[in-house]
Amino acid sequence: MPVPVSPTKMNASDPKRIGGVWSFIARFNAMIDWLASLSPSGATQYDTGWVNLTLNPAFAVQGVNTPRIRRIGTRVELRGIIRASSGNLPTVPTNLLTLPAGTDPGSGWLYRAGAGQNIGVNYRVVIQSGGIVQVAASGASEWMDIGQSWELG
């Protein structure tokens, strides 16, 4: 079902009208209902705020860049910089973390991470079915940025 781009038009025969004019409260409530409709079906919050993610023990946080996720309506943002707990990042896809319910973009979603320790190394992030996030580097590197955003639905 498409989401309207603006609140519902005020109906002239609506009993909420007072003396033929819509009250501020009635307009405000219509706006709140419209904003709530922007959140996808089943969502309990329009904005989840940033939620820290738990890493597989083979990985750790690089500096103060804790991996975290935020959902605002149908938009999801993932950010953080990760490193191998010891040595280099894996060169084969390895489970990094699992996304919280309601943030999974769908199975087999793949993107190249924007940055990492070494120039010339490709960094890959795959989001498997069920929100399992896997990472891999094409060569020797100790850390990578996993930041990305996507739309749900």
Side-chain angles (χ1 to χ4, degrees), residues 24-144:
F24 171 79
I25 292 172
R27 284 192 177 275
F28 179 78
N29 287 337
M31 182 69 70
I32 294 298
D33 291 344
W34 172 68
L35 287 173
S37 75
L38 295 176
S39 192
S41 176
T44 58
Q45 295 180 348
Y46 181 69
D47 183 349
T48 63
W50 288 105
V51 176
N52 289 345
L53 299 170
T54 303
L55 299 177
N56 171 327
F59 298 93
V61 175
Q62 174 68 19
V64 296
N65 302 292
T66 301
R68 50 193 183 156
I69 196 163
R70 183 176 193 170
R71 177 178 169 181
I72 303 173
T74 59
R75 184 168 182 77
V76 177
E77 295 179 42
L78 173 66
R79 65 169 62 157
I81 300 177
I82 57 102
R83 64 178 173 81
S85 291
S86 64
N88 289 316
L89 292 169
T91 55
V92 296
T94 304
N95 291 357
L96 171 68
L97 57 88
T98 301
L99 298 173
T103 61
D104 183 355
S107 63
W109 205 72
L110 165 71
Y111 67 91
R112 285 183 60 179
Q117 179 188 22
N118 293 327
I119 294 173
V121 172
N122 291 317
Y123 302 93
R124 186 170 80 160
V125 179
V126 178
I127 302 176
Q128 299 289 353
S129 178
I132 297 170
V133 178
Q134 298 179 325
V135 295
S138 67
S141 183
E142 293 178 10
W143 61 267
M144 69 184 278

